[in-house]
Amino acid sequence: ETGVTQTPRHLVMGMTNKKSLKCEQHLGHNAMYWYKQSAKKPLELMFVYNFKEQTENNSVPSRFSPECPNSSHLFLHLHTLQPEDSALYLCASSQDSEVSEQFFGPGTRLTVL
Amino acid sequence: AQKVTQAQTEISVVEKEDVTLDCVYETRDTTYYLFWYKQPPSGELVFLIRRNSFDEQNEISGRYSWNFQKSTSSFNFTITASQVVDSAVYFCALRGGNNRLAFGKGNQVVVIP
């Protein structure tokens, strides 16, 4: 497998559910990212991890909880979400968190009922 | 603050026509990087090009070409002889001193056969 993979590709959940999104990169990169893409809005950076350490939290509500157990895996744990959290959640990775281009996964299309 | 503006929201062209996507950016940084990404219907953002602020050479890659004009803070993208497979959303992005990737809202390109 190559590149950045994300599972599941589609997720429907109720507001009281707990679910997790998974991202895995096979590129040997050191930085990983979560983005949120809502309709008609620019991509919003949520979290940045560099060498497994969180280096940025872009004022994301605590109902989104990231986890980075190693440089290849990134999770986004979801708990008591709101309907307005419905969006495409994209994971990306890059060689470093400064200069290099980011490579994106296919995203998880999340619908919160 | 960094900002990327892609004024054209949706552009429709007939196959084999050329299409130019405008990108205007704002930054106070003297060193920055500009990117273009393609997002086909599958959702994954595909990296197309990175350009640093000190390199104003235009670039051509197959049917794609980019025109970087620092004097007008623009980094425009042209697809020559468009094909149906070019139908996608194209994002321009800027990475400055804060290392955050700021995205424009994207241009939806529809190529009509």
Side-chain angles (χ1 to χ4, degrees), chain A residues 9 33 35 37 40 42-43 45 56 58 88 90 97-106, chain B residues 33 35 37 39 42-47 50 89 91 95-96 98-101 103-105:
Chain A
R9 294 294 309 275
Y33 312 77
Y35 286 88
Q37 186 178 26
K40 310 295 183 188
L43 271 79
L45 178 66
E56 190 150 351
N58 195 21
L88 181 67
L90 290 159
S97 62
E98 296 179 7
V99 171
S100 55
E101 54 271 22
Q102 296 175 19
F103 292 85
F104 286 78
Chain B
Y33 296 83
F35 303 80
Y37 284 86
Q39 187 177 37
S42 58
E44 177 178 349
L45 269 79
V46 177
F47 165 75
R50 179 185 73 181
V89 181
F91 290 94
R95 188 170 212 169
N98 65 2
N99 291 326
R100 284 193 183 185
L101 202 54
F103 284 86
K105 291 187 177 181

Side-chain angles (χ1 to χ4, degrees), chain A residues 51-63:
Chain A
F51 291 97
K52 301 189 300 178
E53 298 298 320
Q54 187 182 120
T55 56
E56 190 150 351
N57 176 337
N58 195 21
S59 303
V60 180
S62 59
R63 57 185 184 270

Side-chain angles (χ1 to χ4, degrees), chain A residues 10-54:
Chain A
H10 300 272
L11 177 63
V12 180
M13 59 187 288
M15 289 192 285
T16 58
N17 291 156
K18 287 185 182 180
K19 296 286 184 184
S20 295
L21 309 185
K22 179 183 176 182
C23 174
E24 184 172 0
Q25 58 98 359
H26 309 271
L27 300 168
H29 289 166
N30 298 311
M32 295 188 78
Y33 312 77
W34 279 117
Y35 286 88
K36 176 183 178 181
Q37 186 178 26
S38 305
K40 310 295 183 188
K41 286 187 178 180
L43 271 79
E44 301 171 53
L45 178 66
M46 300 175 73
F47 301 103
V48 181
Y49 277 82
N50 198 24
F51 291 97
K52 301 189 300 178
E53 298 298 320
Q54 187 182 120

Side-chain angles (χ1 to χ4, degrees), chain B:
Chain B
Q2 291 165 162
K3 186 179 176 183
V4 176
T5 302
Q6 295 178 255
Q8 312 136 298
T9 51
E10 183 167 330
I11 305 164
S12 293
V13 295
V14 176
E15 202 171 17
K16 297 185 183 176
E17 287 183 344
D18 299 348
V19 55
T20 295
L21 310 179
D22 298 330
C23 173
V24 175
Y25 61 91
E26 296 174 30
T27 180
R28 292 183 180 178
D29 296 317
T30 53
T31 301
Y32 52 88
Y33 296 83
L34 295 162
F35 303 80
W36 274 96
Y37 284 86
K38 173 183 179 180
Q39 187 177 37
S42 58
E44 177 178 349
L45 269 79
V46 177
F47 165 75
L48 297 179
I49 189 171
R50 179 185 73 181
R51 172 67 76 232
N52 77 52
S53 51
F54 298 107
D55 182 2
E56 286 194 71
Q57 273 195 328
N58 292 328
E59 181 155 339
I60 298 174
S61 175
R63 295 183 297 106
Y64 294 169
S65 62
W66 291 269
N67 183 1
F68 179 25
Q69 297 282 341
K70 207 167 176 180
S71 59
T72 55
S73 298
S74 66
F75 186 43
N76 297 339
F77 172 32
T78 298
I79 303 172
T80 303
S82 59
Q83 299 176 2
V84 173
V85 294
D86 296 326
S87 296
V89 181
Y90 291 86
F91 290 94
C92 181
L94 164 72
R95 188 170 212 169
N98 65 2
N99 291 326
R100 284 193 183 185
L101 202 54
F103 284 86
K105 291 187 177 181
N107 302 122
Q108 171 80 60
V109 173
V110 177
V111 181
I112 304 164

